[in-house]
Amino acid sequence: MPLRHAANTVMKNLAEIYSHLPDAPSEKTLERVDYEARHWSSPIQGPLKPGTEEHKRAVAEMFRDTFNPYKPSVIDWPQLDPETLHRITSLPIWDIAVQTEGKARLRMAAYADMMTDPDMKDALSRNAWEENRHKEVLSKLVEAYNIPMAPEPPYITPKDTEWAYLVTGFSECVDSFFAFGLFALAERAGLFPQELIETFEPVMQEECRHILLFANWLAWHRATMPFWKRPWFELRVIGVWLFLAYERMGLARSIDENGEEHTQDNNFTVTGAKDMTAMDVKIPDLMQLCLDENDRRFAGYDPRLLRPTTTPAIARTIIRGSKLWNSLRTRFCPVTTTA
């Protein structure tokens, strides 16, 4: 089957997961689904050990039960003053954001399509559907605020579905961690109207659910694969991290239909604090904010489910390293004053 035809088939199957979303839910309904999207505990008693039927079932139920049925086509985008509009349209992220979601939906759907376990297949398919909705949200925002975009590339089903899914999953773990902090930073700085913050809040919480699912899928996958496959799999995981580090060191460039170059920051979620506020935000302070927001967003979910750990561990190391450096600098390079 040609790759493009396979991609169309996967996306058609994806569209059938949720055939209808409410156009105008009541305020009471919105409050209920928002709460349910952030709070969930499994009725299963005892530990949820990765590799067990109980853990796998709980992961699938978590993702299904916490679904938020908002509809991108009925989002009422707020009017923005010229300064805020310029701030949003000038952020170097929109091409990459839309294209990333376009790739993510297809990669996740393709991997889910090859899975044989019905619970994990269902969870990953729903995850892919939500990635498709994220792309719709971004597309509607771009349209509402007339943000110039480069043409989207064709989305092709990956040949190596596992590698593509790993890249997407680990990338989301990194980007979501920093996005949580940047989102809070933008809200505290008052750079965007509260209506726009509230519009994007469900999307941010969905990213938390997505990486919660990925962390538990990863643990389940490791626990259930044959032992002789583990070494090669772990080498692939290391390869993914190296690839992501390399990818984030550069800028992505694309040419639009008018021949104009669009430069996009691959690493905006890590370096974007200066674009979100006029305040001088120190790296350790930003890392702490990301950690606090990460903990807050995960707090409502069953603590027996695993959380992503690598990026938070890196952030804590940066904070400790900064404190140690400041301590040594104070000890060996004391500040002197003259009368």
Side-chain angles (χ1 to χ4, degrees), residues 13 67 78 91-92 102 150 153 160 175-176 189-190 202 205 289 291 297-299 323:
N13 294 338
F67 173 70
L91 290 175
D160 188 340
D175 292 340
S176 296
Q205 192 63 31
L289 178 59
L291 285 168
R297 290 192 178 276
F298 278 114
K323 289 180 178 179

Side-chain angles (χ1 to χ4, degrees), residues 82-253:
E83 182 181 354
T84 302
L85 181 62
H86 175 72
R87 186 180 300 120
I88 289 177
T89 58
S90 62
L91 290 175
I93 60 172
W94 300 115
D95 287 344
I96 280 185
V98 171
Q99 293 173 23
T100 296
E101 297 294 355
K103 293 176 184 177
R105 61 179 180 166
L106 184 56
R107 290 173 176 179
M108 291 184 175
Y111 189 73
D113 193 51
M114 64 176 283
M115 295 193 72
T116 57
D117 183 272
D119 289 322
M120 282 299 180
K121 186 182 188 74
D122 178 72
L124 269 62
S125 297
R126 293 173 187 273
N127 194 170
W129 187 95
E130 291 185 9
E131 297 291 358
N132 187 61
R133 184 168 62 172
H134 285 187
K135 185 178 185 301
E136 289 185 40
V137 171
L138 290 172
S139 297
K140 294 295 183 182
L141 178 145
V142 165
E143 179 183 343
Y145 298 130
N146 296 315
I147 299 174
M149 299 284 289
E152 293 183 57
Y155 297 111
I156 300 174
T157 302
K159 293 181 179 179
D160 188 340
T161 53
E162 183 182 72
W163 171 266
Y165 180 63
L166 288 171
V167 168
T168 298
F170 281 115
S171 181
E172 283 203 331
C173 288
V174 174
D175 292 340
S176 296
F177 176 81
F178 291 106
F180 295 158
L182 292 179
F183 191 74
L185 190 64
E187 182 175 11
R188 294 180 185 184
L191 294 185
F192 304 125
Q194 191 61 33
E195 296 92 336
L196 191 59
I197 295 291
E198 292 174 356
T199 296
F200 263 97
E201 176 57 35
V203 178
M204 296 300 297
Q205 192 63 31
E206 276 188 344
E207 291 294 352
C208 179
R209 292 170 55 253
H210 291 181
I211 61 178
L212 181 63
L213 171 62
F214 180 74
N216 284 273
W217 166 85
L218 184 63
W220 170 83
H221 189 56
R222 280 170 164 152
T224 56
M225 72 170 56
F227 74 92
W228 52 270
K229 288 187 177 181
R230 257 314 270 281
W232 172 242
F233 179 77
E234 297 303 338
L235 285 175
R236 301 200 91 192
V237 169
I238 293 172
V240 168
W241 281 110
L242 293 175
F243 170 76
L244 293 179
Y246 171 79
E247 183 183 52
R248 279 156 173 71
M249 288 191 295
L251 297 174
R253 290 180 172 85

Side-chain angles (χ1 to χ4, degrees), residues 22-40:
D23 286 334
S26 67
E27 192 66 30
K28 184 176 181 180
T29 298
L30 289 174
E31 292 178 359
R32 176 179 57 80
V33 298
D34 182 71
Y35 180 87
E36 292 174 350
R38 299 166 189 273
H39 301 83
W40 184 88

Side-chain angles (χ1 to χ4, degrees), residues 204-331:
M204 296 300 297
Q205 192 63 31
E206 276 188 344
E207 291 294 352
C208 179
R209 292 170 55 253
H210 291 181
I211 61 178
L212 181 63
L213 171 62
F214 180 74
N216 284 273
W217 166 85
L218 184 63
W220 170 83
H221 189 56
R222 280 170 164 152
T224 56
M225 72 170 56
F227 74 92
W228 52 270
K229 288 187 177 181
R230 257 314 270 281
W232 172 242
F233 179 77
E234 297 303 338
L235 285 175
R236 301 200 91 192
V237 169
I238 293 172
V240 168
W241 281 110
L242 293 175
F243 170 76
L244 293 179
Y246 171 79
E247 183 183 52
R248 279 156 173 71
M249 288 191 295
L251 297 174
R253 290 180 172 85
S254 55
I255 306 297
D256 66 17
E257 57 189 9
N258 297 319
E260 297 181 2
E261 183 179 74
H262 294 247
T263 301
Q264 303 285 299
D265 188 352
N266 275 329
N267 205 26
F268 180 82
T269 51
V270 179
T271 63
K274 64 181 181 296
D275 294 293
M276 305 301 287
T277 176
M279 299 182 296
D280 181 20
V281 181
K282 299 184 183 301
I283 292 297
D285 295 336
L286 177 60
M287 295 298 103
Q288 187 59 57
L289 178 59
C290 291
L291 285 168
D292 293 343
E293 285 297 300
N294 188 70
D295 291 343
R296 181 180 71 83
R297 290 192 178 276
F298 278 114
Y301 303 115
D302 196 314
R304 293 173 295 174
L305 294 179
L306 302 177
R307 273 67 167 158
T309 57
T310 302
T311 310
I314 293 172
R316 293 187 184 95
T317 300
I318 292 173
I319 293 172
R320 287 194 293 267
S322 176
K323 289 180 178 179
L324 177 61
W325 169 251
N326 289 335
S327 176
L328 292 174
R329 187 174 60 177
T330 301
R331 177 179 300 179

